[in-house]
């Protein structure tokens, strides 16, 4: 693919499978140009309309590659509702068309909830490309193509909505089970236990420890504390709901912040403890008191031997250069 080419995904009424269309940016095209290339010669272009990522596009003059149809958008060509009066007079199609345009102008952001839901389950949450292995998930249940997310992290191009992803440690590698034979009911993956499609119709969970993705029905039907695929044990807190509701996402966000706060506190306490030990061993000051290594030697330990763990017990005059050691220790030669 030419580095400056433009790609969009297309779904038509005659085929539910996504097609990839490539355009040359130097030859701009509009939605009407695309529509005319898709319908038969004797077809009526006004009998069809486009939606992009679930949003209605009422104006056929919208350019492909513009703000309303950016690269990697999912375009869907749809039939307009037909009708007729049956009395030989006006069919009312014109008035319906005007009504659709008027409604689109008043509510341009209206989204088809079914298409929006489907897009979250079949497309990468970042690039909107079709999900393909390897895939990863963040701790809020969003699913990504791993390559797209890593590139955005390296280039520091993550949008604000994903600012909670700070590095590779915030990614969870997941294992999606492909559907044998390809797409089924607008889904490419399925539950390996129940066979339910991964398309938003059913609830799915991912296990943090092993990464396997299973449906809620599988967990309900088979009560087990081990993964039903690899048999690795897990706890209830290791289950992360995928593309959950607002309440579920908020609960996951609170748990993520609690885990981060606990890890930060543990690191700080460990650093303080290590600082006290080093200060005491080397003869420093800890908690307002001065220590020497020999003074804090454990019971039944020789003070000189314990002190030699942290400091050199030899004098400079004790070091000698030999045939097997051509240089003296740093700072003593």
């Amino acid at each position: 693919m030419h580095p400056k080419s433009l790609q969009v995904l297309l779904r038509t009424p005659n085929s539910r499978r996504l097609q990839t269309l490539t355009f040359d940016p130097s030859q701009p095209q509009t939605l009407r140009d695309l529509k005319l290339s898709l319908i038969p010669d004797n077809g009526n272009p006004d009998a069809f309309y486009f939606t992009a990522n679930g949003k209605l596009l009422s104006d056929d003059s919208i350019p492909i590659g513009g703000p309303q149809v950016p690269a990697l958008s999912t375009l869907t060509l749809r039939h307009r509702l037909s009708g007729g009066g049956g009395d030989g007079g006006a069919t009312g199609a014109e008035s319906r068309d005007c009504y659709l345009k008027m409604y689109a102008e008043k509510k341009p952001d209206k989204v088809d909830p079914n298409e929006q839901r489907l897009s979250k389950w079949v497309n990468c949450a970042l690039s909107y490309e079709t999900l393909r292995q390897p895939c990863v998930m963040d701790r809020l249940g969003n699913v990504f193509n791993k390559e797209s997310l890593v590139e955005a992290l390296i280039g520091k191009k993550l949008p604000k909505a994903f600012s909670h992803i700070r590095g590779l440690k915030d990614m969870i590698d997941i294992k999606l089970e492909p559907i044998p034979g390809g797409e089924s009911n607008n889904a490419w993956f399925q539950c390996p236990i129940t066979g339910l499609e991964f398309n938003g119709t059913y609830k799915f969970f991912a296990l943090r420890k092993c990464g396997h993705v299973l449906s809620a029905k599988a967990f309900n039907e088979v009560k087990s504390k081990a993964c039903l695929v690899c048999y690795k044990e897990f706890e209830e807190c290791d289950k992360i709901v995928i593309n959950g509701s607002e309440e579920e996402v908020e609960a996951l966000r609170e748990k993520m912040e609690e885990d981060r706060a606990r890890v930060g506190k543990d690191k700080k306490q460990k650093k303080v403890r290590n600082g006290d030990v080093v200060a005491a061993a080397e003869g420093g000051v800890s908690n307002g008191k001065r220590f020497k290594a020999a003074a804090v030697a454990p019971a039944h330990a020789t003070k000189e031997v314990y002190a030699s763990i942290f400091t050199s017990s030899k004098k400079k005059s004790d070091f000698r250069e030999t045939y097997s050691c051509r240089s003296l220790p740093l700072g003593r030669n």
Side-chain angles (χ1 to χ4, degrees):
M1 183 181 68
H2 194 277
K4 293 185 178 180
S5 61
L6 171 69
Q7 284 190 340
V8 296
L9 304 176
L10 175 68
R11 182 181 286 115
T12 63
N14 297 328
S15 174
R16 302 302 297 175
R17 300 177 66 89
L18 287 174
Q19 307 174 41
T20 302
L21 303 180
T22 303
F23 299 92
D24 186 355
S26 63
Q27 300 178 358
Q29 294 192 41
T30 64
L31 292 179
R32 186 169 185 83
D33 296 330
L34 178 58
K35 186 189 297 184
L36 292 175
S37 68
L38 296 174
I39 63 176
D41 294 337
N42 58 348
N44 180 12
D46 294 330
F48 298 87
Y49 68 98
F50 280 107
T51 61
N53 300 323
K55 296 183 179 181
L56 176 66
L57 302 175
S58 60
D59 188 358
D60 283 354
S61 64
I62 295 175
I64 298 176
Q68 292 179 275
V69 189
L72 302 177
S73 294
T74 301
L75 288 174
T76 303
L77 183 64
R78 298 180 179 277
H79 282 289
R80 294 191 187 278
L81 294 176
S82 59
D87 56 358
T91 63
E94 297 83 2
S95 61
R96 280 193 298 275
D97 185 61
C98 294
Y99 172 78
L100 287 174
K101 290 184 178 180
M102 177 183 66
Y103 187 79
E105 291 175 0
K106 289 185 177 181
K107 299 181 179 180
D109 295 328
K110 184 173 178 60
V111 177
D112 183 348
N114 293 326
E115 195 162 319
Q116 188 180 40
R117 169 188 56 78
L118 180 63
S119 178
K120 293 174 63 176
W121 289 82
V122 301
N123 297 331
C124 169
L126 178 63
S127 66
Y128 300 108
E129 295 177 328
T130 303
L131 286 175
R132 61 181 183 275
Q133 302 279 23
C135 295
V136 295
M137 181 183 68
D138 63 11
R139 297 186 61 181
L140 301 185
N142 299 302
V143 183
F144 307 85
N145 287 329
K146 187 172 185 178
E147 182 181 354
S148 299
L149 186 55
V150 171
E151 288 180 355
L153 278 172
I154 294 176
K156 298 181 179 180
K157 297 179 180 179
L158 271 180
K160 188 176 180 180
F162 301 123
S163 59
H164 58 278
I165 304 176
R166 303 172 183 175
L168 297 178
K169 66 180 184 300
D170 296 319
M171 300 182 197
I172 301 172
D173 290 307
I174 59 175
K175 301 177 179 68
L176 293 170
E177 180 74 14
I179 296 178
E183 183 185 15
S184 173
N185 293 329
N186 294 322
W188 295 95
F189 305 101
Q190 66 179 2
C191 173
I193 304 301
T194 62
L196 296 178
E197 293 90 354
F198 187 80
N199 59 6
T201 304
Y202 310 97
K203 180 177 288 190
F204 275 76
F205 291 92
L207 299 178
R208 290 183 57 182
K209 290 187 176 180
C210 63
H212 283 108
V213 176
L214 299 96
S215 64
K217 184 177 181 181
F219 288 109
N220 293 334
E221 292 184 350
V222 184
K223 304 295 183 181
S224 175
K225 291 297 183 182
C227 174
L228 302 177
V229 179
C230 65
Y231 308 110
K232 188 171 185 178
E233 293 187 356
F234 66 91
E235 299 178 1
E236 192 65 23
C237 60
D238 294 323
K239 292 167 57 178
I240 298 180
V241 62
I242 296 178
N243 294 326
S245 63
E246 293 183 4
E247 294 77 11
E248 290 170 329
V249 172
E250 188 59 31
L252 289 173
R253 188 183 300 276
E254 291 178 1
K255 185 178 183 302
M256 177 183 67
E257 297 299 336
E258 290 174 0
D259 291 344
R260 285 179 173 175
R262 183 174 62 254
V263 171
K265 184 178 180 180
D266 292 344
K267 286 183 178 180
K268 186 176 181 180
Q269 291 177 348
K270 183 177 180 181
K271 184 177 180 181
V272 170
R273 288 196 300 269
N274 292 342
D276 288 346
V277 172
V278 173
E282 295 183 349
V285 176
S286 178
N287 295 331
K289 298 180 180 180
R290 181 173 294 278
F291 294 93
K292 291 185 178 180
V296 293
H300 310 296
T302 305
K303 295 182 178 181
E304 291 76 9
V305 175
Y306 181 75
S308 67
I309 298 175
F310 306 98
T311 60
S312 175
S313 59
K314 290 187 176 183
K315 299 179 181 179
K316 182 177 180 180
S317 58
D318 294 334
F319 291 96
R320 294 289 184 271
E321 183 176 342
T322 66
Y323 74 94
S324 62
C325 181
R326 301 276 318 196
S327 61
L328 296 175
L330 183 64
R332 296 184 175 90
N333 49 3

